[in-house]
């Protein structure tokens, strides 16, 4: 099997996800701007049956009430204390948001192992990340299963895959991505949950990396 060493970078926009630690772990959907969706995205990005993906970096872009905007970064190479349940993942994000209170523009704070928080938004992430290419996951686009050779080329670089939460990607964000000549890619013929999109995306990449027919 052929393996690529390149990290896969994924950014999820949490349009209303709370940006302060003032939420209840017992009510993630109601008290935290649907941060439960981001928790599921974390689990889909990293959790395998008996391990954690080490080749994924996930950026959660939070824009909701509290202290916006924030970017929580989870790096699979160093990530610890990650469990399958949403509540424990929510607890990790809550710790990060507490660490991130009062951060100035561009400032970053380390949280638990593998997790950092900074003040910033999608533009800041892309500006500072030197990603190439930027891929926007959008249902009305070219099917990823017809892009095998293109994906191989992306994996030799530093690709960033961008997707939205249940609200989607705003017109302003789409215009910004279009300015960057972001590549639009579809994961299937029907709209999918964000966490399912991540599972399918990484499965497609796994198949290519492992030369799995």
């Amino acid at each position: 099997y052929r393996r690529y060493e390149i990290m896969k970078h994924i950014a999820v926009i949490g349009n209303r996800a709370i940006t302060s630690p003032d939420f209840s772990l017992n009510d993630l959907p109601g008290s935290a701007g649907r941060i439960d969706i981001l928790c599921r995205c974390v689990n889909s990005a990293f959790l395998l049956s008996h391990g954690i993906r080490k080749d994924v970096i996930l950026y959660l872009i939070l824009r909701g009430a509290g202290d916006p905007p924030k970017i929580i970064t989870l790096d699979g190479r160093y990530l610890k204390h990650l469990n399958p349940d949403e509540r424990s993942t929510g607890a990790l994000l809550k710790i990060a948001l507490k660490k991130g209170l009062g951060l100035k523009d561009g400032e970053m704070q380390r949280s638990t192992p593998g997790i950092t928080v900074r003040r910033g938004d999608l533009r800041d992430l892309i500006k500072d990340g030197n990603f190439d290419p930027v891929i926007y996951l959008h249902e009305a686009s070219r099917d990823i299963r017809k892009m095998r050779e293109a994906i191989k080329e992306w994996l030799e670089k530093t690709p960033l895959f961008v997707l939205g939460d249940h609200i989607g990607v705003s017109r302003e964000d789409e215009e910004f991505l279009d300015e960057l000549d972001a590549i639009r890619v579809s994961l299937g013929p029907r709209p999918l949950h964000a966490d399912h999109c991540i599972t399918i995306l990484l499965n497609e990449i796994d198949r290519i990396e492992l030369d799995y027919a």
Side-chain angles (χ1 to χ4, degrees):
Y1 291 137
R2 181 183 179 188
R3 294 293 302 184
Y4 289 79
E5 297 299 326
I6 193 68
M7 300 296 291
K8 292 82 181 174
H9 300 262
I10 303 171
V12 183
I13 300 170
N15 291 280
R16 297 175 184 168
I18 193 167
T19 49
S20 79
D22 301 324
F23 62 90
S24 170
L25 294 176
N26 296 321
D27 185 21
L28 293 176
S31 69
R34 295 310 309 269
I35 206 169
D36 60 305
I37 293 173
L38 300 187
C39 291
R40 291 197 287 275
C41 287
V42 170
N43 291 352
S44 292
F46 295 106
L47 292 181
L48 297 168
S49 182
H50 296 287
I52 289 179
R53 290 183 182 271
K54 302 294 186 182
D55 58 351
V56 172
I57 298 179
L58 179 68
Y59 308 92
L60 303 177
I61 299 167
L62 293 78
R63 294 175 169 170
D67 189 28
K70 293 287 176 56
I71 301 172
I72 297 178
T73 301
L74 299 95
D75 190 329
R77 294 170 295 184
Y78 313 109
L79 203 54
K80 294 183 179 179
H81 314 307
L82 184 62
N83 295 303
D85 63 292
E86 289 176 26
R87 193 179 191 280
S88 65
T89 303
L92 292 176
L93 301 186
K94 188 180 180 82
I95 292 169
L97 289 171
K98 186 173 183 179
K99 294 273 189 179
L101 286 174
L103 287 176
K104 297 178 181 178
D105 287 348
E107 285 186 341
M108 182 188 75
Q109 179 67 47
R110 296 189 181 280
S111 184
T112 50
I115 301 179
T116 59
V117 58
R118 61 173 285 193
R119 184 175 298 284
D121 210 322
L122 180 65
R123 289 177 180 266
D124 304 299
L125 173 66
I126 292 178
K127 177 184 175 182
D128 299 340
N130 295 316
F131 300 108
D132 178 33
V134 176
I135 302 104
Y136 170 28
L137 301 183
H138 186 283
E139 61 208 47
S141 309
R142 187 179 176 190
D143 188 346
I144 194 171
R145 295 190 174 182
K146 298 177 181 178
M147 304 181 73
R148 188 179 183 91
E149 294 306 315
I151 294 170
K152 287 180 180 179
E153 293 181 7
W154 301 345
L155 294 175
E156 301 288 355
K157 301 177 182 180
T158 310
L160 174 69
F161 298 89
V162 180
L163 67 156
D165 60 5
H166 65 299
I167 295 174
V169 175
S170 70
R171 182 182 298 272
E172 182 180 352
D173 287 328
E174 283 198 337
E175 290 175 353
F176 170 60
L177 291 170
D178 287 341
E179 289 172 8
L180 298 173
D181 293 324
I183 303 165
R184 295 193 179 205
V185 174
S186 172
L187 297 174
R190 296 190 178 186
L192 302 170
H193 288 207
D195 57 315
H196 296 169
C197 288
I198 292 174
T199 299
I200 291 172
L201 171 67
L202 291 174
N203 180 260
E204 292 295 331
I205 292 174
D206 285 343
R207 288 171 173 268
I208 291 170
E209 287 189 326
L210 296 169
D211 287 332
Y212 187 90

